[in-house]
Amino acid sequence: MKAKLTLHKEFSIGETDKRIYGSFIEHLGRAVYSGIYEPGHPQSDHEGFRDDVAALVKELDIPIVRYPGGNFVSGYNWEDGVGPAANRPMRLDLAWGTRESNQIGTNEFARWAKKVSTEVMMAVNLGTRGADAARNLVEYCNFKRGSFWSDLRRSHGVPEPHGFKLWCLGNEMDGPWQICHRTAEEYGRAAAEAAKVMKWTDPSIELVACGSSSARMATFGDWEYTALDHLYDFADYLSLHIYFANKEGDALNFLGRSLEMDRFIKNVAGICDLVKAKKKSRKIVNLSFDEWNVWYHSNDADAKIEKWTEAPPLLEDIYTMEDALAAGCMLITLLKNADRVKIACLAQLVNVIAPIMTEKGGPAWRQTIFYPFMHASKYGRGTVLRVPVSSDKYDSKEYWDVPYLEAVGVHNMERRELTVFAVNRNLTEALDLTAGVYGFEQYQFIEHITLNHENLQAVNSAKEETVRPVVRHKGTIDGAVLEIRLPPASWNVIRLGSV
Ligand code: AHR
């Protein structure tokens, strides 16, 4: 099969915001306990944080990590997680039916974030709590000294404020599964008042309002409009969430779902602009895609977990080659919308629907989805190029006109590098790609990284990395024409640079 694309230096969509390579750690399953934190593990530091996990997180080069939830945050008393660890209460977490020891809380997490060179994207509880707890938390974290909550932080051994810049106004408040689920009207009012006092406490913070937890929610659209109508002056971003699943074993349909993700982004951006127009505002509310991934492999195992267990193995999806392709399509979709999506979080980071897995007392290892994310984070920063693609298309059960070739280009001017990220959705045929390259006269072919496997269900494990990238040096650039072959069902990173 053949396909064409055009890369032109002047066809720019916008600059990437590095925060699109964010991730997420929730107090859920083994993300925290025996994930990032396992005192007594041979590779743990003096505080109990695993160095082997930290090293893998650093490989991904993640600029922000959302914390502490997720559904968990809607029942969380942040005060339980600060002060002497021995005095912290064991609580029931109603979101996941587990017990939470609170041995890790805000200050420990901030220390872990420093260890892995990331920033914390904090979430406040707008389920069981509200404006008062939220503004106290901002004061505890960000106020220098001389007030009740800032001095309490200092008495907890944290003399300098954390200075967290980005805050989520609750989590998935549109979902009936949420602790203290609200209507859009209720959420909009409550979140606006919380936002107001949070910003009065620290005017430098940025706020993310809850959008729909999926475009398939019955309230989608109305939720965004109504909530934003209340929140427009306070919110800087509106959130979107999506999880792909392939329960029917229909790979082509599964890989087509990124078209739905693209439509979701464009529709939410449209609603933000509708509210902007109605309010005659000059402000633009951008998007925070703060949960995205594949999630379904663990559903049956989760149903069997005994209730009220502490840190049980929940949501431990083991990802296939096919899932890595889906993750690749999602990353390309985020990049193609770089003009509106300024924040995105791969949900989640360790053990819970994650690129990094750990064994208790044993090794940490990379799942298949680790690689597309790592490549995008490493090479996908700069000016995103609109890449016109001409490729054969297919129809699947839910999606029509799905191009076999999904692609985007990113030009990093500083490094003088041009990278094309591409997925060949054709499961059986290689794709001979011809790319017209304009405005990059000095650029030469550097390398072609591929991730593929003849078995789409191949997975990695602690023992073996069956799915791993291969670097190829085959590819020609002749004047303005690049020719390259993309293997069937593959994730590709094509790198050009000026020598
Ligand atoms: O990431 C797992 C869960 O998915 C989060 O807690 C919730 O926000 C979403 O439904």
Side-chain angles (χ1 to χ4, degrees), residues 24 26 70-71 96 171-172 177 243 291 295 315 348 353:
F24 178 24
E26 178 168 4
N71 296 338
W96 299 104
N171 173 70
E172 293 190 348
W177 57 85
Y243 290 102
E291 289 188 33
W295 172 14
L315 279 65
Q348 297 190 8
I353 43 175

Side-chain angles (χ1 to χ4, degrees), residues 2 10-11 20 121 159 170 216 220 255 373 448 491 495:
K2 291 189 190 308
E10 306 302 328
F11 290 1
I20 62 168
M121 176 185 189
R216 297 181 180 189
F220 171 61
L255 296 180
F373 188 92
H448 174 197
W491 159 256
R495 299 183 57 224

Side-chain angles (χ1 to χ4, degrees), residues 432-449:
D432 286 318
L433 176 65
T434 306
V437 187
Y438 305 102
F440 298 97
E441 282 73 26
Q442 311 292 315
Y443 283 51
Q444 315 248 311
F445 174 81
I446 303 177
E447 62 185 11
H448 174 197
I449 307 170

Side-chain angles (χ1 to χ4, degrees), residues 375-395:
H375 294 146
S377 175
K378 197 164 172 184
Y379 302 118
R381 300 183 191 212
T383 308
V384 184
L385 303 181
R386 193 176 305 283
V387 174
V389 163
S390 144
S391 136
D392 284 352
K393 296 180 176 170
Y394 66 88
D395 291 340

Side-chain angles (χ1 to χ4, degrees), residues 239-259:
S239 78
L240 301 85
H241 292 177
I242 202 167
Y243 290 102
F244 288 17
N246 185 17
K247 290 190 179 163
E248 298 83 23
D250 181 345
L252 285 176
N253 193 57
F254 179 58
L255 296 180
R257 189 144 182 221
S258 57
L259 270 60

